[in-house]
């Protein structure tokens, strides 16, 4: 024991280490070049969408219009844009719903069921990542025709959801592997069933992965072009990507109206990406799991 005469050691405050980042000119230059690659086409597109049709081909693409006009946007809004937007939003919402309902339980079973058959089924299911849609478009067309779904929104929704499921399962399984085994054991001791674990444990703890799947699937459905082109024909189930053909005729292309339609169609999904970009990046970083 220390006596009163013994000197008390003074506690020196710990010095905090301040890490300074060294400047990286090459990284800064690369970032500026990449920013230019992204910004310049967007600027040219917006600038051309504000140009009159008779001056669309005569002006420099990077030159701002001398007399900007919103007539092209007015033409797009009065040429079925609202109908195409509603169809695209319906397709995106339906695809996201189907993928979540099927992929969340599938990923849960793949992580929790450790058998040879479940592992083989999971690997076989992930083969869909390596199969391009163009390779199976003819068999899909025959199936859609025999099911009497041709020229309907279901003909677009079902294949889009099917091709989004492999990547979605991969993302969700990586997120589910980060859940501690102790939590499952605690709920099992409490008498929880597998369904209760799924809804009360898995779903709340995998919100990041689910958000990533929602954004990824919505982007795929929103920008889809092949399935709407092959499996629809009339104006009823037409989506935004096919609505661009309204400005392409036999004798020319209405370039300002076409670009105005592209700008308007990109605003909703770009807004969704800005709001949820952190969840998208965070979920993709956890794809590999532990």
């Amino acid at each position: 024991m220390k006596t009163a005469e013994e000197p008390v050691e003074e506690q020196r405050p710990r010095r905090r280490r301040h890490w300074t980042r060294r400047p990286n000119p090459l990284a800064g230059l690369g970032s500026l070049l990449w920013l230019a690659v992204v910004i310049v086409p967007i600027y040219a597109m917006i600038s051309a969408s504000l140009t009159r049709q008779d001056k669309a081909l005569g002006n420099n693409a990077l030159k701002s219009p001398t007399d900007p006009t919103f007539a092209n946007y007015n033409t797009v809004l009065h040429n079925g844009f609202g109908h195409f937007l509603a169809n695209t939003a319906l397709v995106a919402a339906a695809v996201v719903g189907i993928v979540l309902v099927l992929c969340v339980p599938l990923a849960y079973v793949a992580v929790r069921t450790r058998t040879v058959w479940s592992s083989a089924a999971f690997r076989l299911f992930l083969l869909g990542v390596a199969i391009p849609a163009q390779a199976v478009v003819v068999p899909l067309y025959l199936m859609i025709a025999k099911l009497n779904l041709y020229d309907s929104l279901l003909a677009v929704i079902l294949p889009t959801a099917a091709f989004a499921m492999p990547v979605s399962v991969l993302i969700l399984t990586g997120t589910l592997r980060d859940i501690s085994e102790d939590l499952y054991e605690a709920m099992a001791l409490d008498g929880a069933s597998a369904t209760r674990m799924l809804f009360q444990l898995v779903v709340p703890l995998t919100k990041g992965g689910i958000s990533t799947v929602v954004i990824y699937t919505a982007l795929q459905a929103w920008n889809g072009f092949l399935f709407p082109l092959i499996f629809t024909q009339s104006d009823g189930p037409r989506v935004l990507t096919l609505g661009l053909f309204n400005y392409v005729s036999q004798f020319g292309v209405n370039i300002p109206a076409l670009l105005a339609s592209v700008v308007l169609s990109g605003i909703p999904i770009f807004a969704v990406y800005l709001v949820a970009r952190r969840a998208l990046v965070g979920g993709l970083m956890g794809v590999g799991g532990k």
Side-chain angles (χ1 to χ4, degrees):
M1 297 179 60
K2 293 182 180 180
T3 60
E5 289 77 9
E6 293 181 357
V8 180
E9 296 182 358
E10 295 182 359
Q11 295 182 355
R12 297 179 180 179
R14 296 180 180 178
R15 295 181 179 179
R16 296 182 178 178
R17 296 181 179 179
H18 296 279
W19 297 97
T20 57
R21 296 182 178 179
R22 297 180 180 178
N24 192 340
L26 293 178
L29 180 61
S31 300
L32 291 177
L33 291 177
W34 179 251
L35 182 63
V37 170
V38 174
I39 292 297
V40 171
I42 295 178
Y43 166 77
M45 179 177 62
I46 297 176
S47 176
S49 67
L50 298 174
T51 306
R52 293 172 51 185
Q53 185 178 1
D54 54 353
K55 298 181 178 180
L57 298 178
N59 293 338
N60 186 359
L62 299 180
K63 183 180 179 180
S64 59
T66 55
D67 52 346
T69 176
F70 288 94
N72 301 311
Y73 291 90
N74 189 31
T75 301
V76 171
L77 294 175
H78 290 83
N79 198 19
F81 180 82
H83 175 70
F84 303 148
L85 179 64
N87 284 344
T88 306
L90 180 60
V91 169
V95 170
V96 169
I98 293 173
V99 169
L100 288 181
V101 169
L102 296 179
C103 290
V104 173
L106 181 60
Y108 173 68
V109 172
V111 172
R112 295 297 298 163
T113 306
R114 300 173 182 176
T115 61
V116 177
W117 293 106
S118 63
S119 178
F122 175 69
R123 294 175 182 177
L124 181 63
F125 186 86
L126 290 184
L127 286 178
V129 178
I131 300 177
Q134 295 82 355
V136 295
V137 67
V138 174
L140 282 175
Y141 176 82
L142 297 176
M143 292 175 60
I144 293 294
K146 289 184 178 181
L147 292 173
N148 294 324
L149 296 177
Y150 182 76
D151 201 21
S152 66
L153 288 180
L154 278 177
V156 180
I157 292 171
L158 296 179
T160 305
F163 276 90
M165 286 178 64
V167 177
S168 301
V169 171
L170 183 63
I171 295 172
L172 290 173
T173 51
T175 307
L176 263 66
R177 289 193 180 100
D178 292 335
I179 300 177
S180 175
E181 186 70 22
D182 297 336
L183 297 177
Y184 290 109
E185 294 178 357
M187 291 198 69
L189 292 174
D190 194 35
S193 61
T195 305
R196 181 182 169 188
M197 290 184 186
L198 174 63
F199 288 102
Q200 294 187 1
L201 177 64
V202 173
V203 173
L205 294 181
T206 56
K207 290 182 179 179
I210 292 175
S211 300
T212 304
V213 169
V214 169
I215 300 169
Y216 166 78
T217 307
L219 285 172
Q220 295 295 314
W222 193 275
N223 298 323
F225 177 75
L226 179 63
F227 294 146
L229 177 65
I230 301 298
F231 301 144
T232 62
Q233 184 177 6
S234 62
D235 293 336
R238 182 166 292 186
V239 296
L240 284 173
T241 51
L242 291 184
L244 301 178
F245 282 106
N246 289 345
Y247 312 104
V248 180
S249 64
Q250 182 179 0
F251 304 100
V253 180
N254 189 348
I255 296 177
L258 179 65
L259 295 179
S261 179
V262 172
V263 172
L264 290 177
S265 62
I267 290 176
I269 199 66
F270 183 68
V272 172
Y273 171 76
L274 287 180
V275 172
R277 65 186 184 277
R278 290 186 178 180
L280 177 63
V281 175
L284 289 176
M285 289 177 64
V287 168
K290 290 186 177 180

